Amino acid sequence: MGKSPCCSGVGLKRGPWTQEEDKKLLAYIQENGHGSWRTLPQKAGLKRCGKSCRLRWINYLRPDIKRGEFTAYEEQRIIQLHALLGNRWSVIAAHLPNRTDNEIKNYWNTHIKKRLTKMGIDPITHKKTHNLSSSNEGMMNLSVIHHIAQWESTRLEAEARLAQHPKNLSAPHNKNSNENVANEDSFMMKPSFDILKAWQSGYGNTNNGAAQPYTLSFLESAVSMLAMRESFKTTATWSTGHAYDNVKNVDNIWSSQNDIVLQEDNKVLISEDGIGDVLLPGNVRELNIGEENYWGDFSFSNNNNPETLYSVVF
DNA sequence: AAACGTGACAACCGCGGTCGG
DNA sequence: CCCGACCGCGGTTGTCACGTT
């Protein structure tokens, strides 16, 4: 369409913003709103192009932006959303309150991408790329296997939903972004949120130093997780006061709510008594989590219904 | 202390979609 | 319907801070 480059105008400033410029932009928008970005710079007394102003506002000056390090919860959420959505940063950002798409994109490129690669996971496809040979091989493999299984699961579910309701696939870059997100929440995003519930109870320790338990939820998956089942096959009777009371004889022991606690020293305490909440001496197993994969993963299956497999993420 | 390398992230660029005349 | 202006997105680059040699 032959558009002129936005920031090539004569006399327009480029590069890092000064405090003075920030003040001018902030003051103008707080007073008048941004209106047309094209005309804003002149009105605000800035020698910048509208595009540059918009970017500065959206990615830096906006008052509702949350800055600082990403929490483990946010990181997990990014990974899961990326597995489902790919590089649709704006959609991913819509599900991480107060984070910008640019910030998430940068964080992905500089942190998460490298970590996944190191774990032997292709950050684009979320599939395993090679065998691991680190000292944490066992744990790393579990993590990788689960990551892949989870990705496959979300992908298959999303595809199934798409096949059932193709017309519901909203067009990208909808002008009305809120509407767009709402559609995805109720439709495309559902599998992802099922998984994400696992992290919603918080992370690590509380302010007073007490261990904070996780609230776990489970995603039924049709994906074969044989490798993981073999690794952790221990038959135990499982009975809890929680939502899965009716499930007995679970292959693996990690199953009820509130009985897994992540400690600061990268270990996980697991209650074997199935009571949850209270980790009684003698009924606790200690489990090392790989140095960087605090999404250390486990699954268990229900012997009464071998077809039903669950994934647990913490 | 200087040069160099690396990581983090802010900022820019070009493309495609949307809207209004 | 067409076309140009505008906006928003994702990929890429630039800049700075910090660590290492």
Side-chain angles (χ1 to χ4, degrees):
Chain A
M1 273 186 208
K3 296 175 201 173
S4 59
C6 173
C7 298
S8 64
V10 179
L12 291 184
K13 190 171 180 293
R14 296 179 54 189
W17 281 64
T18 63
Q19 282 190 356
E20 191 63 29
E21 287 176 310
D22 281 347
K23 275 183 192 171
K24 279 185 182 177
L25 182 58
L26 195 58
Y28 180 84
I29 292 179
Q30 283 175 344
E31 181 78 18
N32 308 288
H34 63 70
S36 164
W37 289 111
R38 189 80 169 182
T39 56
L40 182 146
Q42 197 181 2
K43 291 177 184 171
L46 288 161
K47 294 188 185 308
R48 295 268 182 177
C49 70
K51 215 168 180 176
S52 180
C53 294
R54 176 185 160 270
L55 214 61
R56 185 64 178 170
W57 171 256
I58 288 174
N59 288 334
Y60 198 84
L61 294 176
R62 230 173 49 193
D64 58 339
I65 287 178
K66 177 183 172 186
R67 308 198 69 80
E69 284 194 16
F70 280 75
T71 64
Y73 165 69
E74 286 176 314
E75 183 175 315
Q76 294 298 342
R77 197 157 185 178
I78 291 169
I79 292 170
Q80 295 307 323
L81 289 167
H82 186 272
L84 184 65
L85 297 163
N87 293 356
R88 296 171 67 189
W89 304 116
S90 58
V91 180
I92 292 173
H95 295 284
L96 284 159
N98 310 116
R99 295 289 190 184
T100 70
D101 54 356
N102 203 42
E103 196 178 12
I104 292 169
K105 179 174 61 181
N106 283 333
Y107 189 71
W108 173 269
N109 286 328
T110 54
H111 293 88
I112 301 175
K113 204 165 146 184
K114 288 174 188 171
R115 184 173 300 160
L116 291 181
T117 303
K118 200 174 165 186
M119 288 172 64
I121 297 172
D122 185 327
I124 297 167
T125 63
H126 291 258
K127 291 182 176 179
K128 193 175 180 181
T129 56
H130 60 267
N131 289 328
L132 296 161
S133 57
S134 73
S135 58
N136 285 327
E137 184 175 8
M139 292 305 301
M140 292 288 268
N141 270 332
L142 275 174
S143 194
V144 169
I145 290 164
H146 180 78
H147 182 99
I148 294 164
Q150 197 166 288
W151 180 84
E152 285 290 349
S153 175
T154 53
R155 187 181 62 78
L156 288 169
E157 287 194 45
E159 281 180 4
R161 283 163 188 269
L162 262 181
Q164 285 176 355
H165 310 283
K167 63 181 167 51
N168 284 347
L169 179 61
S170 55
H173 303 180
N174 190 331
K175 277 277 182 183
N176 186 341
S177 59
N178 289 335
E179 185 181 298
N180 194 24
V181 167
N183 284 343
E184 299 217 37
D185 269 350
S186 61
F187 169 60
M188 281 290 291
M189 297 302 298
K190 189 176 180 303
S192 181
F193 282 118
D194 286 345
I195 295 169
L196 291 168
K197 284 175 190 169
W199 296 297
Q200 283 178 351
S201 70
Y203 211 85
N205 290 351
T206 55
N207 288 338
N208 61 12
Q212 181 176 337
Y214 287 76
T215 299
L216 301 175
S217 66
F218 309 101
L219 172 71
E220 290 193 22
S221 169
V223 176
S224 169
M225 297 175 80
L226 271 178
M228 194 182 299
R229 292 178 63 195
E230 288 303 312
S231 302
F232 282 86
K233 187 123 183 171
T234 56
T235 301
T237 299
W238 177 51
S239 175
T240 79
H242 298 286
Y244 293 88
D245 273 358
N246 56 333
V247 181
K248 307 285 184 187
N249 299 320
V250 176
D251 284 347
N252 291 308
I253 59 173
W254 305 287
S255 50
S256 70
Q257 292 185 339
N258 297 336
D259 62 355
I260 296 178
V261 176
L262 181 65
Q263 300 191 122
E264 279 185 323
D265 58 359
N266 276 340
K267 290 181 178 179
V268 165
L269 294 181
I270 298 165
S271 166
E272 290 194 82
D273 58 13
I275 292 173
D277 294 327
V278 182
L279 296 172
L280 299 173
N283 284 325
V284 172
R285 278 181 62 152
E286 197 172 69
L287 194 72
N288 285 306
I289 295 302
E291 214 172 273
E292 293 188 358
N293 46 318
Y294 37 67
W295 54 78
D297 317 305
F298 301 92
S299 73
F300 58 92
S301 60
N302 169 8
N303 281 343
N304 292 338
N305 181 9
E307 297 299 316
T308 305
L309 301 175
Y310 299 93
S311 314
V312 180
V313 182
F314 55 84

